[in-house]
Amino acid sequence: MPAQLLTIEVSRLDAATARLTLTGDLDFDTAPQLISAAAELRREGCQQLVIDLSAVGLCDSSGLSAFLVAHRAGTSPIRLTGVSPQLQQLLDRTGLAELLAVVRASDGDLRATG
């Protein structure tokens, strides 16, 4: 089964906040797209990035690294939404769940994600 290409749809929620909706696989080949999109938004003044992962089929270590790069480039943590149970387990095991703002559907307050 060939890898799914990654598409990133960017929506500005306000002057300082943008949502990146990812569709496809976030892996070695596609992680640079996320890093580039996040860097561009930071250059445009976005302080808060919300990354919607509900349509991501696969996220490997390169995807985790892309989250870390996007986080370190900003002044506030990136927010991850739509995290699958498998990805949540990876985030927990690597300690990234403590570093990044992971919004779980059970948290109830999804206002910041639009």
Side-chain angles (χ1 to χ4, degrees):
M1 177 178 221
Q4 227 181 357
L5 296 177
L6 181 72
T7 59
I8 301 173
E9 180 183 325
V10 177
S11 306
R12 293 298 287 256
L13 303 177
D14 59 41
T17 308
R19 178 194 339 246
L20 295 90
T21 303
L22 280 55
T23 303
D25 292 343
L26 184 57
D27 58 16
F28 179 80
D29 293 324
T30 60
Q33 288 176 250
L34 175 57
I35 293 169
S36 177
E40 179 66 26
L41 288 166
R42 297 286 194 197
R43 283 191 294 274
E44 293 174 2
C46 278
Q47 298 168 6
Q48 179 79 27
L49 299 180
V50 178
I51 301 176
D52 181 355
L53 303 167
S54 46
V56 170
L58 167 84
C59 180
D60 68 7
S61 61
S62 297
L64 297 180
S65 178
F67 298 149
L68 191 56
V69 169
H71 166 74
R72 288 185 174 164
T75 57
S76 63
I78 61 172
R79 295 172 57 96
L80 303 178
T81 64
V83 175
S84 70
Q86 296 84 3
L87 180 53
Q88 183 64 55
Q89 188 176 37
L90 281 175
L91 293 168
D92 291 341
R93 286 186 178 182
T94 59
L96 288 175
E98 296 175 18
L99 181 65
L100 306 175
V102 179
V103 179
R104 301 168 200 243
S106 62
D107 288 348
D109 183 12
L110 299 179
R111 285 175 290 140
T113 64

